[in-house]
Amino acid sequence: MLFNGLDNFSRATLFVESNKEKTMDDSLQTAVNAEDERRHSNARIDMKLEVIVIPVSNVDRAKEFYTKLGWRLDADVAGPNGFRLIQFTPPGSGSSIQCGVNLTPAAPSSSQGLLLAVSDIEGARQQLAARGIEASEVFHCATGTGCRFPGIGARVSGPHPDHLSYGSFASFNDPDGNSWVLQEVTTRLPGRIARDTTYASVHDLSEAMIRAATAQGNMKRGLEKPTPIGQIGTPSTWCGSRPAKNCPNKRQ
């Protein structure tokens, strides 16, 4: 034993000193733990959307469709009791979709209005057609952007006349009726800039920059002269690129 052979005073002294060191070590560890807790409580923890589960009735048919779309096949895994999981990732997306067997109790066709942001709505629509995917015509809303939802607002054929960001759409369905909406986004609203936004080519990047500059100019000019009745295809506080006094006085 540590204290064997020592008198009582020496034993007491060693006991006090050893406990003092242990107390100091405990205090130091407590301070370290408190600092770690403070840093973690103040730090923002990213929560990135990773996967959306799409309910389907025929897994192989769904796999064929999303492969035809040109989406990257990440996984096709089978398990006990008929379990199957297939994962796809759209081009340039940080999030993926999964479909399969025994993944969700949701009914096929119950996923509606799933949004895909694209930098060129007409180019994206043409790519769908080239892959044999049936899609709607490109459209914009008579006012605002709510017409992408069923039964809300009026749809107007063609892209937004000023190609305002968030203002042009096209839609398509998978074989089960799950619906997807393409939305042209060239300039993000304040606070919604994605740090890891990427483009497939230099051409795509340059085209997006040109569209963003044009859209930004149109938005700025439109916001300078608000009017209670918006130009067709724009929110009610905007008037495209024209002064408010030249805006139409009635909805079309």
Side-chain angles (χ1 to χ4, degrees), residues 54-66 84 86 88 99-101 108-109 174-176 178:
I54 307 297
V56 300
S57 60
N58 186 313
V59 182
D60 290 320
R61 183 179 64 178
K63 180 180 179 180
E64 180 181 359
F65 175 81
Y66 287 104
R84 190 172 175 192
I86 298 176
F88 283 95
C99 61
V101 179
S109 84
D174 74 4
D176 281 289
N178 298 302

Side-chain angles (χ1 to χ4, degrees), residues 18-231:
S18 63
N19 276 316
K20 185 187 296 183
E21 291 181 3
K22 182 178 183 303
T23 300
M24 291 177 64
D25 288 343
D26 290 345
S27 298
L28 178 60
Q29 187 61 53
T30 299
V32 170
N33 292 342
E35 176 62 16
D36 285 343
E37 183 176 351
R38 182 190 68 79
R39 280 187 300 190
H40 284 122
S41 64
N42 292 337
R44 187 192 73 174
I45 306 300
D46 288 346
M47 296 184 183
K48 300 179 179 180
L49 181 63
E50 186 71 14
V51 168
I52 293 175
V53 177
I54 307 297
V56 300
S57 60
N58 186 313
V59 182
D60 290 320
R61 183 179 64 178
K63 180 180 179 180
E64 180 181 359
F65 175 81
Y66 287 104
T67 299
K68 191 176 180 180
L69 269 177
W71 294 10
R72 186 186 72 224
L73 176 63
D74 300 323
D76 186 346
V77 181
N81 302 318
F83 175 86
R84 190 172 175 192
L85 181 151
I86 298 176
Q87 178 170 309
F88 283 95
T89 301
S93 175
S95 303
S96 305
I97 66 163
Q98 291 178 351
C99 61
V101 179
N102 296 335
L103 295 188
T104 174
S109 84
S110 60
S111 290
Q112 297 293 307
L114 300 165
L115 200 64
L116 296 167
V118 298
S119 59
D120 180 349
I121 190 68
E122 292 170 304
R125 169 67 175 77
Q126 290 170 5
Q127 286 188 5
L128 290 178
R131 292 180 176 276
I133 305 297
E134 184 177 348
S136 75
E137 65 175 353
V138 173
F139 64 90
H140 63 281
C141 300
T143 56
T145 59
C147 71
R148 69 184 186 272
F149 302 111
I152 298 180
R155 295 184 176 185
V156 181
S157 178
H160 188 279
D162 293 321
H163 275 278
L164 287 184
S165 192
Y166 300 96
S168 301
F169 308 91
S171 62
F172 66 93
N173 294 344
D174 74 4
D176 281 289
N178 298 302
S179 70
W180 294 89
V181 176
L182 304 179
Q183 182 177 35
E184 186 175 73
V185 180
T186 54
T187 302
R188 291 282 180 182
L189 292 173
R192 300 185 187 181
I193 302 298
R195 291 174 294 175
D196 55 354
T197 298
T198 59
Y199 292 91
S201 68
V202 174
H203 177 266
D204 285 353
L205 174 60
S206 62
E207 289 294 309
M209 291 177 69
I210 292 170
R211 288 192 302 273
T214 302
Q216 182 69 21
N218 289 338
M219 290 171 67
K220 182 178 179 182
R221 288 192 296 271
L223 288 171
E224 286 173 351
K225 298 288 185 179
T227 179
I229 300 179
Q231 180 185 357

